[in-house]
Coordinates of all heavy atoms in Angstrom, one line a residue:
M1 N 0.8 -1.2 0.0 CA 0.0 0.0 0.0 C 0.9 1.2 0.0 O 1.9 1.3 0.7 CB -0.9 0.0 1.2 CG -1.9 -1.1 1.4 SD -3.2 -1.1 0.1 CE -4.3 0.1 0.9
F2 N 0.4 2.2 -0.7 CA 1.1 3.5 -0.8 C 0.6 4.4 0.3 O -0.6 4.4 0.6 CB 1.0 4.2 -2.1 CG 1.8 3.6 -3.2 CD1 1.5 2.4 -3.8 CD2 3.0 4.2 -3.6 CE1 2.2 1.8 -4.8 CE2 3.8 3.7 -4.6 CZ 3.4 2.5 -5.2
E3 N 1.5 5.2 0.9 CA 1.1 6.3 1.9 C 1.0 7.6 1.1 O 1.6 7.8 0.1 CB 2.1 6.3 3.0 CG 2.3 5.0 3.8 CD 1.0 4.8 4.6 OE1 0.5 5.7 5.2 OE2 0.7 3.6 4.8
F4 N 0.3 8.6 1.7 CA 0.2 9.9 1.1 C 0.8 11.0 2.0 O 0.7 10.9 3.2 CB -1.3 10.3 1.0 CG -2.0 9.3 0.1 CD1 -3.2 8.7 0.5 CD2 -1.6 9.0 -1.2 CE1 -3.9 7.9 -0.3 CE2 -2.3 8.2 -2.0 CZ -3.5 7.6 -1.6
A5 N 1.4 12.0 1.3 CA 1.8 13.2 2.0 C 1.1 14.3 1.2 O 1.2 14.4 0.0 CB 3.3 13.4 1.9
Y6 N 0.4 15.2 1.9 CA -0.4 16.2 1.3 C 0.3 17.5 1.3 O 0.8 18.0 2.3 CB -1.7 16.4 2.0 CG -2.7 15.3 1.9 CD1 -2.6 14.1 2.6 CD2 -3.7 15.3 0.9 CE1 -3.5 13.1 2.5 CE2 -4.6 14.3 0.7 CZ -4.5 13.2 1.5 OH -5.4 12.1 1.4
W7 N 0.4 18.1 0.1 CA 0.9 19.5 0.0 C -0.2 20.4 0.6 O -1.4 20.1 0.7 CB 1.1 19.8 -1.5 CG 2.3 19.2 -2.1 CD1 3.0 18.1 -1.7 CD2 3.1 19.7 -3.2 NE1 4.0 17.8 -2.6 CE2 4.1 18.8 -3.4 CE3 3.0 20.9 -4.0 CZ2 5.1 19.1 -4.5 CZ3 3.9 21.1 -5.0 CH2 4.9 20.2 -5.2
P8 N 0.2 21.6 1.0 CA -0.7 22.5 1.6 C -2.0 22.8 0.8 O -3.1 22.8 1.4 CB 0.1 23.8 1.8 CG 1.5 23.4 2.0 CD 1.6 22.2 1.0
D9 N -1.9 23.0 -0.5 CA -3.1 23.2 -1.4 C -4.0 22.0 -1.4 O -5.3 22.2 -1.4 CB -2.7 23.6 -2.8 CG -2.1 25.0 -2.9 OD1 -2.3 25.8 -1.9 OD2 -1.4 25.3 -3.9
A10 N -3.5 20.8 -1.4 CA -4.3 19.6 -1.4 C -5.0 19.5 0.0 O -6.2 19.1 0.1 CB -3.5 18.4 -1.7
D11 N -4.2 19.7 1.0 CA -4.8 19.7 2.4 C -5.9 20.7 2.5 O -7.0 20.4 3.1 CB -3.7 19.9 3.4 CG -4.0 19.4 4.8 OD1 -4.7 18.3 4.8 OD2 -3.5 20.0 5.7
A12 N -5.7 21.9 2.0 CA -6.8 22.9 2.1 C -8.0 22.5 1.3 O -9.2 22.7 1.7 CB -6.3 24.2 1.6
A13 N -7.8 21.9 0.1 CA -8.9 21.4 -0.7 C -9.7 20.3 0.1 O -11.0 20.4 0.1 CB -8.4 20.9 -2.0
M14 N -9.0 19.4 0.7 CA -9.7 18.4 1.5 C -10.5 19.0 2.6 O -11.7 18.6 2.9 CB -8.7 17.4 2.0 CG -8.2 16.4 1.0 SD -9.5 15.4 0.3 CE -9.8 14.2 1.6
D15 N -9.9 20.0 3.3 CA -10.6 20.7 4.4 C -11.9 21.3 3.9 O -13.0 21.3 4.5 CB -9.7 21.7 5.1 CG -8.6 21.1 5.9 OD1 -8.7 19.9 6.2 OD2 -7.7 21.9 6.2
E16 N -11.8 22.0 2.7 CA -13.0 22.6 2.2 C -14.1 21.6 1.8 O -15.3 21.8 2.0 CB -12.6 23.4 0.9 CG -11.9 24.7 1.2 CD -11.5 25.5 0.0 OE1 -12.2 25.4 -1.0 OE2 -10.5 26.2 0.0
L17 N -13.7 20.5 1.2 CA -14.7 19.5 0.8 C -15.3 18.9 2.1 O -16.5 18.6 2.1 CB -14.0 18.4 0.0 CG -13.5 18.7 -1.4 CD1 -12.7 17.6 -2.0 CD2 -14.7 19.1 -2.3
E18 N -14.5 18.6 3.1 CA -15.1 18.1 4.4 C -16.0 19.0 5.1 O -16.9 18.6 5.8 CB -13.9 17.6 5.3 CG -13.2 16.5 4.8 CD -11.8 16.2 5.5 OE1 -11.4 17.1 6.3 OE2 -11.2 15.1 5.3
A19 N -15.8 20.3 4.9 CA -16.6 21.3 5.6 C -17.9 21.6 4.9 O -18.8 22.2 5.6 CB -15.8 22.6 5.8
S20 N -18.1 21.2 3.7 CA -19.3 21.6 2.9 C -20.2 20.3 2.7 O -19.8 19.5 1.9 CB -18.9 22.2 1.6 OG -20.1 22.4 0.8
P21 N -21.3 20.3 3.4 CA -22.2 19.1 3.1 C -22.6 19.0 1.7 O -22.8 17.8 1.2 CB -23.4 19.4 4.0 CG -22.9 20.4 5.1 CD -21.8 21.2 4.4
A22 N -22.7 20.1 1.0 CA -23.1 20.0 -0.5 C -22.0 19.3 -1.3 O -22.3 18.8 -2.4 CB -23.4 21.4 -1.0
M23 N -20.8 19.3 -0.8 CA -19.7 18.7 -1.5 C -19.5 17.2 -1.2 O -18.5 16.6 -1.6 CB -18.4 19.5 -1.3 CG -18.5 20.9 -1.8 SD -18.9 21.0 -3.6 CE -17.4 20.5 -4.3
S24 N -20.4 16.6 -0.4 CA -20.2 15.2 0.1 C -20.0 14.2 -1.1 O -19.2 13.3 -1.0 CB -21.2 14.8 1.1 OG -22.5 14.8 0.5
P25 N -20.7 14.4 -2.2 CA -20.5 13.4 -3.3 C -19.1 13.5 -3.9 O -18.5 12.5 -4.2 CB -21.5 13.8 -4.3 CG -22.6 14.5 -3.6 CD -21.9 15.2 -2.5
V26 N -18.6 14.7 -3.9 CA -17.2 14.9 -4.4 C -16.2 14.3 -3.4 O -15.3 13.6 -3.8 CB -16.9 16.4 -4.7 CG1 -15.4 16.6 -5.0 CG2 -17.8 17.0 -5.7
L27 N -16.4 14.6 -2.1 CA -15.5 14.1 -1.1 C -15.5 12.5 -1.1 O -14.4 11.9 -1.1 CB -16.0 14.5 0.3 CG -15.1 14.0 1.5 CD1 -13.7 14.5 1.3 CD2 -15.7 14.5 2.8
E28 N -16.7 11.9 -1.3 CA -16.7 10.5 -1.4 C -16.0 9.9 -2.6 O -15.2 8.9 -2.5 CB -18.2 10.0 -1.4 CG -18.9 10.2 -0.1 CD -20.4 9.8 -0.2 OE1 -20.8 9.2 -1.2 OE2 -21.1 10.2 0.7
A29 N -16.1 10.6 -3.7 CA -15.4 10.2 -5.0 C -13.9 10.4 -4.8 O -13.1 9.6 -5.3 CB -15.9 11.0 -6.2
V30 N -13.5 11.5 -4.1 CA -12.1 11.7 -3.9 C -11.5 10.6 -3.0 O -10.5 10.0 -3.3 CB -11.8 13.1 -3.2 CG1 -10.4 13.2 -2.6 CG2 -12.1 14.2 -4.2
Q31 N -12.2 10.3 -1.9 CA -11.8 9.2 -1.0 C -11.7 7.9 -1.7 O -10.8 7.1 -1.5 CB -12.7 9.2 0.2 CG -12.5 10.4 1.1 CD -13.5 10.5 2.2 OE1 -14.7 10.0 2.1 NE2 -13.2 11.1 3.3
R32 N -12.7 7.6 -2.6 CA -12.6 6.3 -3.3 C -11.4 6.2 -4.2 O -10.7 5.2 -4.3 CB -13.9 6.2 -4.2 CG -14.7 5.0 -4.0 CD -15.9 4.8 -4.9 NE -16.3 6.0 -5.7 CZ -17.3 6.8 -5.4 NH1 -17.9 6.8 -4.3 NH2 -17.6 7.8 -6.2
T33 N -11.1 7.4 -4.9 CA -10.0 7.4 -5.8 C -8.7 7.3 -5.0 O -7.8 6.7 -5.4 CB -10.0 8.7 -6.6 OG1 -11.3 8.7 -7.3 CG2 -8.9 8.8 -7.6
L34 N -8.6 8.0 -3.9 CA -7.4 7.9 -3.0 C -7.2 6.4 -2.6 O -6.0 6.0 -2.5 CB -7.5 8.8 -1.8 CG -7.4 10.3 -2.1 CD1 -7.7 11.1 -0.9 CD2 -6.0 10.6 -2.6
D35 N -8.3 5.7 -2.2 CA -8.1 4.3 -1.9 C -7.5 3.5 -3.0 O -6.7 2.7 -2.8 CB -9.5 3.7 -1.5 CG -10.0 4.2 -0.1 OD1 -9.2 4.8 0.7 OD2 -11.2 4.0 0.2
R36 N -8.0 3.8 -4.2 CA -7.5 3.1 -5.4 C -6.1 3.4 -5.7 O -5.2 2.6 -6.1 CB -8.4 3.3 -6.6 CG -9.8 2.7 -6.4 CD -10.7 2.9 -7.6 NE -10.2 2.1 -8.7 CZ -10.5 2.4 -10.0 NH1 -11.4 3.4 -10.3 NH2 -10.0 1.7 -11.0
L37 N -5.7 4.7 -5.5 CA -4.3 5.2 -5.7 C -3.4 4.5 -4.7 O -2.3 4.1 -5.0 CB -4.2 6.7 -5.6 CG -4.6 7.5 -6.8 CD1 -4.7 9.0 -6.4 CD2 -3.7 7.3 -7.9
S38 N -3.9 4.4 -3.4 CA -3.1 3.7 -2.4 C -2.8 2.3 -2.7 O -1.7 1.8 -2.4 CB -3.9 3.8 -1.1 OG -3.2 3.1 0.0
A39 N -3.8 1.6 -3.3 CA -3.6 0.2 -3.7 C -2.6 0.0 -4.9 O -1.7 -0.8 -4.8 CB -4.9 -0.5 -4.0
D40 N -2.8 0.8 -5.9 CA -1.9 0.8 -7.1 C -2.1 2.0 -7.9 O -3.0 2.1 -8.8 CB -2.2 -0.5 -7.9 CG -1.3 -0.6 -9.1 OD1 -0.4 0.2 -9.3 OD2 -1.6 -1.5 -9.9
P41 N -1.2 3.0 -7.7 CA -1.3 4.3 -8.4 C -1.1 4.1 -9.9 O -1.4 5.1 -10.7 CB -0.3 5.2 -7.8 CG 0.7 4.3 -7.2 CD -0.1 3.0 -6.8
Y42 N -0.5 3.0 -10.4 CA -0.2 2.8 -11.8 C -1.2 2.0 -12.5 O -0.9 1.6 -13.6 CB 1.3 2.3 -11.9 CG 2.2 3.2 -11.1 CD1 2.8 2.8 -9.9 CD2 2.5 4.5 -11.6 CE1 3.6 3.6 -9.2 CE2 3.4 5.3 -10.9 CZ 3.9 4.9 -9.7 OH 4.7 5.7 -9.0
D43 N -2.3 1.7 -11.9 CA -3.3 0.9 -12.5 C -3.9 1.7 -13.7 O -4.4 2.8 -13.5 CB -4.4 0.5 -11.5 CG -5.5 -0.4 -12.0 OD1 -5.7 -0.5 -13.2 OD2 -6.2 -1.0 -11.1
R44 N -3.9 1.1 -14.9 CA -4.4 1.8 -16.0 C -5.9 2.1 -15.9 O -6.3 3.1 -16.5 CB -4.2 0.9 -17.3 CG -2.8 0.8 -17.7 CD -2.7 -0.2 -18.8 NE -1.5 0.2 -19.6 CZ -1.3 -0.1 -20.9 NH1 -2.2 -0.8 -21.5 NH2 -0.2 0.2 -21.5
R45 N -6.6 1.4 -15.2 CA -8.1 1.6 -15.0 C -8.4 2.9 -14.3 O -9.5 3.4 -14.4 CB -8.7 0.5 -14.3 CG -8.7 -0.8 -15.1 CD -9.2 -2.0 -14.4 NE -8.3 -2.3 -13.3 CZ -8.5 -3.3 -12.4 NH1 -9.5 -4.0 -12.5 NH2 -7.6 -3.5 -11.5
L46 N -7.4 3.5 -13.7 CA -7.6 4.8 -13.0 C -7.7 6.0 -14.0 O -8.3 7.0 -13.7 CB -6.4 5.1 -12.0 CG -6.4 4.3 -10.7 CD1 -5.1 4.5 -10.0 CD2 -7.6 4.7 -9.9
G47 N -7.2 5.8 -15.2 CA -7.2 6.8 -16.2 C -6.3 8.0 -16.0 O -6.5 9.1 -16.4
T48 N -5.2 7.7 -15.3 CA -4.2 8.7 -14.9 C -3.4 9.2 -16.2 O -3.1 8.4 -17.0 CB -3.2 8.2 -13.9 OG1 -4.0 7.8 -12.7 CG2 -2.2 9.2 -13.5
T49 N -3.2 10.5 -16.2 CA -2.3 11.0 -17.3 C -1.1 11.7 -16.6 O -1.3 12.4 -15.6 CB -3.1 12.1 -18.1 OG1 -4.3 11.6 -18.6 CG2 -2.3 12.7 -19.2
A50 N 0.1 11.4 -17.2 CA 1.3 12.0 -16.6 C 1.8 13.1 -17.5 O 1.6 13.1 -18.7 CB 2.4 10.9 -16.6
Y51 N 2.3 14.2 -16.8 CA 2.8 15.4 -17.4 C 4.2 15.7 -16.9 O 4.6 15.2 -15.8 CB 1.9 16.6 -17.1 CG 0.4 16.4 -17.5 CD1 -0.5 15.9 -16.6 CD2 0.0 16.8 -18.8 CE1 -1.8 15.7 -17.0 CE2 -1.3 16.6 -19.1 CZ -2.2 16.1 -18.3 OH -3.5 16.0 -18.6
Q52 N 4.9 16.5 -17.6 CA 6.1 17.1 -17.2 C 5.9 18.6 -17.2 O 5.5 19.2 -18.1 CB 7.3 16.8 -18.2 CG 7.9 15.5 -18.0 CD 8.8 15.3 -16.8 OE1 8.7 16.1 -15.8 NE2 9.6 14.4 -16.8
T53 N 6.3 19.3 -16.0 CA 6.2 20.7 -15.9 C 7.5 21.2 -15.5 O 8.3 20.5 -14.8 CB 5.1 21.2 -15.0 OG1 5.5 20.8 -13.6 CG2 3.7 20.5 -15.3
Q54 N 7.8 22.5 -15.8 CA 9.0 23.1 -15.3 C 9.0 23.3 -13.8 O 10.0 23.1 -13.2 CB 9.2 24.5 -16.0 CG 9.7 24.4 -17.4 CD 10.0 25.7 -18.0 OE1 9.6 26.7 -17.6 NE2 10.8 25.7 -19.1
E55 N 7.9 23.7 -13.3 CA 7.8 24.0 -11.8 C 7.8 22.7 -11.0 O 8.5 22.7 -9.9 CB 6.5 24.8 -11.5 CG 6.4 26.1 -12.2 CD 5.9 26.0 -13.6 OE1 5.2 25.0 -13.9 OE2 6.1 27.0 -14.4
L56 N 7.1 21.7 -11.4 CA 6.9 20.5 -10.6 C 7.6 19.3 -11.1 O 7.7 18.2 -10.3 CB 5.4 20.2 -10.4 CG 4.6 21.3 -9.8 CD1 3.1 20.9 -9.9 CD2 5.0 21.5 -8.4
G57 N 8.2 19.3 -12.3 CA 8.7 18.1 -12.8 C 7.6 17.1 -13.2 O 6.6 17.6 -13.8
G58 N 7.8 15.8 -12.9 CA 6.7 14.9 -13.3 C 5.5 14.9 -12.4 O 5.7 14.9 -11.1
I59 N 4.3 15.1 -12.9 CA 3.1 15.1 -12.1 C 2.1 14.3 -12.9 O 2.0 14.2 -14.1 CB 2.7 16.6 -11.9 CG1 1.5 16.6 -10.8 CG2 2.3 17.3 -13.1 CD1 1.3 17.9 -10.2
S60 N 1.2 13.7 -12.1 CA 0.1 12.8 -12.7 C -1.2 13.4 -12.3 O -1.4 13.9 -11.2 CB 0.3 11.4 -12.2 OG 1.5 10.8 -12.6
A61 N -2.2 13.3 -13.1 CA -3.6 13.7 -12.9 C -4.5 12.5 -13.0 O -4.6 11.9 -14.1 CB -4.0 14.8 -13.9
T62 N -5.2 12.2 -11.9 CA -6.1 11.1 -11.9 C -7.5 11.6 -11.7 O -7.8 12.3 -10.8 CB -5.8 10.1 -10.8 OG1 -4.4 9.7 -10.9 CG2 -6.7 9.0 -10.8
P63 N -8.4 11.3 -12.7 CA -9.8 11.8 -12.5 C -10.5 11.0 -11.4 O -10.3 9.9 -11.2 CB -10.5 11.5 -13.9 CG -9.7 10.3 -14.4 CD -8.3 10.5 -13.9
I64 N -11.4 11.7 -10.7 CA -12.2 11.0 -9.6 C -13.5 10.5 -10.2 O -14.2 9.9 -9.4 CB -12.4 12.0 -8.4 CG1 -13.4 13.1 -8.8 CG2 -11.1 12.5 -7.9 CD1 -14.0 13.8 -7.6
R65 N -13.7 10.7 -11.4 CA -14.9 10.1 -12.1 C -16.2 10.8 -11.6 O -17.3 10.2 -11.6 CB -15.0 8.6 -11.9 CG -13.8 7.8 -12.3 CD -13.7 7.6 -13.8 NE -12.7 6.7 -14.0 CZ -11.8 6.8 -15.0 NH1 -11.9 7.9 -15.8 NH2 -10.9 5.9 -15.2
L66 N -16.1 12.1 -11.2 CA -17.3 12.9 -10.9 C -17.0 14.3 -11.4 O -16.0 14.9 -11.0 CB -17.5 12.9 -9.4 CG -18.7 13.7 -8.9 CD1 -20.0 13.0 -9.4 CD2 -18.8 13.8 -7.4
D67 N -17.8 14.7 -12.3 CA -17.6 16.0 -13.0 C -16.2 16.1 -13.5 O -15.7 15.2 -14.1 CB -18.0 17.2 -12.0 CG -19.4 17.2 -11.6 OD1 -20.3 16.7 -12.4 OD2 -19.7 17.6 -10.4
D68 N -15.6 17.2 -13.3 CA -14.2 17.4 -13.8 C -13.2 17.5 -12.7 O -12.2 18.3 -12.8 CB -14.1 18.6 -14.8 CG -14.9 18.4 -16.1 OD1 -14.9 17.3 -16.6 OD2 -15.5 19.4 -16.6
W69 N -13.4 16.8 -11.7 CA -12.4 16.8 -10.5 C -11.3 15.9 -10.8 O -11.5 14.8 -11.3 CB -13.2 16.4 -9.2 CG -14.0 17.5 -8.7 CD1 -15.3 17.7 -9.1 CD2 -13.7 18.5 -7.7 NE1 -15.8 18.8 -8.4 CE2 -14.8 19.3 -7.5 CE3 -12.5 18.7 -7.0 CZ2 -14.8 20.4 -6.6 CZ3 -12.5 19.8 -6.1 CH2 -13.7 20.6 -5.9
Y70 N -10.1 16.3 -10.3 CA -8.9 15.5 -10.5 C -8.0 15.6 -9.2 O -8.1 16.6 -8.5 CB -8.0 16.1 -11.6 CG -8.5 15.7 -13.0 CD1 -9.6 16.5 -13.6 CD2 -8.0 14.7 -13.7 CE1 -10.1 16.2 -14.8 CE2 -8.5 14.3 -15.0 CZ -9.5 15.1 -15.5 OH -10.0 14.8 -16.7
I71 N -7.3 14.5 -9.0 CA -6.3 14.5 -8.0 C -4.9 14.6 -8.7 O -4.6 13.7 -9.6 CB -6.3 13.2 -7.1 CG1 -7.7 13.2 -6.4 CG2 -5.2 13.2 -6.1 CD1 -7.9 11.8 -5.7
F72 N -4.1 15.6 -8.4 CA -2.8 15.7 -8.9 C -1.8 15.2 -7.9 O -1.8 15.6 -6.8 CB -2.5 17.2 -9.3 CG -3.5 17.7 -10.3 CD1 -4.7 18.3 -10.0 CD2 -3.1 17.7 -11.7 CE1 -5.6 18.7 -11.0 CE2 -4.0 18.1 -12.7 CZ -5.2 18.7 -12.3
W73 N -0.9 14.4 -8.4 CA 0.1 13.7 -7.5 C 1.4 13.5 -8.2 O 1.5 13.5 -9.4 CB -0.5 12.5 -6.9 CG -0.9 11.4 -7.9 CD1 -2.1 11.3 -8.6 CD2 -0.1 10.4 -8.4 NE1 -2.1 10.3 -9.5 CE2 -0.9 9.7 -9.4 CE3 1.2 9.9 -8.1 CZ2 -0.4 8.5 -10.1 CZ3 1.7 8.8 -8.8 CH2 0.9 8.1 -9.8
Q74 N 2.4 13.2 -7.3 CA 3.7 12.8 -7.9 C 4.3 11.8 -6.9 O 3.9 11.7 -5.7 CB 4.6 14.0 -8.1 CG 4.9 14.8 -7.0 CD 5.7 16.1 -7.3 OE1 6.1 16.8 -6.5 NE2 5.8 16.4 -8.6
R75 N 5.3 11.1 -7.4 CA 6.0 10.1 -6.5 C 6.7 10.9 -5.4 O 7.3 11.9 -5.7 CB 6.9 9.3 -7.3 CG 6.2 8.2 -8.1 CD 7.2 7.4 -8.9 NE 7.7 8.2 -10.0 CZ 8.6 7.8 -10.8 NH1 9.2 6.6 -10.7 NH2 9.0 8.5 -11.8
G76 N 6.8 10.4 -4.2 CA 7.5 11.0 -3.2 C 8.9 10.6 -3.2 O 9.4 9.7 -4.0
P77 N 9.7 11.1 -2.2 CA 11.1 10.8 -2.2 C 11.4 9.4 -1.6 O 12.6 8.9 -1.7 CB 11.7 11.9 -1.3 CG 10.6 12.3 -0.4 CD 9.3 12.1 -1.3
E78 N 10.5 8.8 -1.0 CA 10.6 7.5 -0.4 C 9.8 6.5 -1.2 O 8.7 6.8 -1.7 CB 10.2 7.5 1.0 CG 11.0 8.4 1.9 CD 10.4 8.6 3.3 OE1 9.6 7.8 3.7 OE2 10.8 9.6 3.9
P79 N 10.2 5.2 -1.2 CA 9.3 4.2 -1.8 C 8.0 4.1 -1.2 O 7.8 4.3 0.0 CB 10.1 2.9 -1.6 CG 11.5 3.3 -1.3 CD 11.4 4.6 -0.7
K80 N 7.0 3.8 -1.9 CA 5.6 3.7 -1.4 C 5.0 5.0 -0.9 O 4.1 4.9 0.0 CB 5.5 2.6 -0.4 CG 5.9 1.2 -1.0 CD 4.8 0.7 -1.9 CE 5.1 -0.7 -2.4 NZ 4.1 -1.3 -3.2
L81 N 5.5 6.1 -1.3 CA 5.0 7.4 -0.9 C 4.5 8.2 -2.1 O 5.3 8.4 -3.0 CB 6.1 8.2 -0.1 CG 5.6 9.6 0.4 CD1 4.5 9.5 1.5 CD2 6.8 10.4 0.9
L82 N 3.3 8.7 -2.0 CA 2.8 9.6 -3.1 C 2.5 10.9 -2.4 O 2.0 11.0 -1.3 CB 1.5 9.1 -3.7 CG 1.5 7.7 -4.4 CD1 0.1 7.4 -4.9 CD2 2.5 7.7 -5.5
E83 N 2.9 12.0 -3.1 CA 2.6 13.4 -2.7 C 1.4 13.8 -3.4 O 1.4 13.9 -4.6 CB 3.8 14.3 -3.0 CG 5.0 13.9 -2.2 CD 6.2 14.8 -2.4 OE1 6.1 15.7 -3.4 OE2 7.2 14.7 -1.7
I84 N 0.4 14.1 -2.6 CA -0.9 14.7 -3.2 C -0.7 16.2 -3.3 O -0.6 16.9 -2.3 CB -2.1 14.3 -2.4 CG1 -2.2 12.8 -2.1 CG2 -3.4 14.9 -3.0 CD1 -2.3 12.0 -3.3
V85 N -0.5 16.7 -4.6 CA -0.2 18.1 -4.8 C -1.4 18.9 -4.8 O -1.4 20.0 -4.2 CB 0.5 18.2 -6.2 CG1 0.8 19.6 -6.6 CG2 1.8 17.3 -6.2
L86 N -2.5 18.5 -5.4 CA -3.7 19.3 -5.5 C -4.9 18.5 -5.8 O -4.8 17.4 -6.5 CB -3.5 20.3 -6.6 CG -4.6 21.4 -6.9 CD1 -4.8 22.3 -5.7 CD2 -4.3 22.2 -8.1
I87 N -6.1 18.9 -5.3 CA -7.4 18.3 -5.6 C -8.2 19.4 -6.1 O -8.4 20.4 -5.4 CB -8.0 17.6 -4.4 CG1 -7.1 16.5 -3.8 CG2 -9.4 17.1 -4.7 CD1 -7.5 16.0 -2.4
H88 N -8.6 19.3 -7.4 CA -9.2 20.5 -8.1 C -10.2 20.1 -9.1 O -10.0 19.1 -9.8 CB -8.0 21.3 -8.7 CG -8.4 22.7 -9.2 ND1 -8.7 23.7 -8.4 CD2 -8.5 23.1 -10.4 CE1 -9.0 24.7 -9.1 NE2 -8.9 24.4 -10.4
E89 N -11.1 21.0 -9.4 CA -12.1 20.8 -10.4 C -11.6 21.6 -11.6 O -11.4 22.8 -11.5 CB -13.5 21.3 -10.0 CG -14.5 21.0 -11.1 CD -15.9 21.5 -10.7 OE1 -16.0 22.3 -9.8 OE2 -16.9 21.0 -11.3
L90 N -11.5 21.0 -12.8 CA -11.1 21.6 -14.0 C -12.4 21.8 -14.8 O -12.9 20.8 -15.3 CB -10.1 20.8 -14.8 CG -8.8 20.5 -14.1 CD1 -7.9 19.6 -15.0 CD2 -8.0 21.8 -13.7
R91 N -12.8 23.0 -15.0 CA -14.0 23.2 -15.8 C -13.7 24.1 -17.0 O -12.9 25.0 -16.9 CB -15.0 23.9 -14.9 CG -15.5 23.0 -13.8 CD -16.7 23.6 -13.1 NE -17.2 24.9 -13.5 CZ -17.6 25.8 -12.7 NH1 -17.6 25.7 -11.4 NH2 -18.0 27.0 -13.1
A92 N -14.3 23.7 -18.1 CA -14.1 24.5 -19.4 C -14.5 25.9 -19.3 O -13.9 26.8 -20.0 CB -14.8 23.8 -20.5
D93 N -15.5 26.2 -18.5 CA -16.0 27.6 -18.4 C -15.2 28.5 -17.4 O -15.6 29.6 -17.2 CB -17.5 27.6 -18.1 CG -17.8 27.0 -16.7 OD1 -17.0 26.3 -16.2 OD2 -19.0 27.1 -16.3
Q94 N -14.2 27.9 -16.7 CA -13.4 28.7 -15.8 C -12.4 29.5 -16.6 O -11.8 29.0 -17.6 CB -12.6 27.8 -14.8 CG -13.6 27.2 -13.8 CD -12.8 26.4 -12.8 OE1 -11.7 25.9 -13.1 NE2 -13.3 26.2 -11.6
P95 N -12.1 30.8 -16.2 CA -11.1 31.6 -16.9 C -9.7 31.0 -16.6 O -9.5 30.4 -15.6 CB -11.2 32.9 -16.2 CG -12.0 32.8 -15.0 CD -12.8 31.5 -15.1
R96 N -8.9 31.1 -17.6 CA -7.5 30.5 -17.5 C -6.5 31.6 -17.1 O -6.5 32.6 -17.3 CB -7.1 29.9 -18.8 CG -7.9 28.7 -19.2 CD -7.5 28.2 -20.5 NE -8.4 27.1 -20.8 CZ -8.2 26.1 -21.6 NH1 -7.0 26.0 -22.0 NH2 -9.1 25.2 -21.9

């Protein structure tokens, strides 16, 4: 099983989801996806896409299968550690 280390933005997103009863379906989907990531983050069925960025290096985006929410993560410095970078909704109608 993989362990998680949360970056501050991901931790804040989880706090917001937990504090809002209206967001409970999203929170449940995030928790389900985190459970699956913990079991095997490289399972193709997760639909994860890997990217390279100048700021973060290698980062992966895994959809939670609810609306356009994603969990952004990267491998940690230790084996079996994933760093959860951000939990965010990507919507086409949001300004870039």
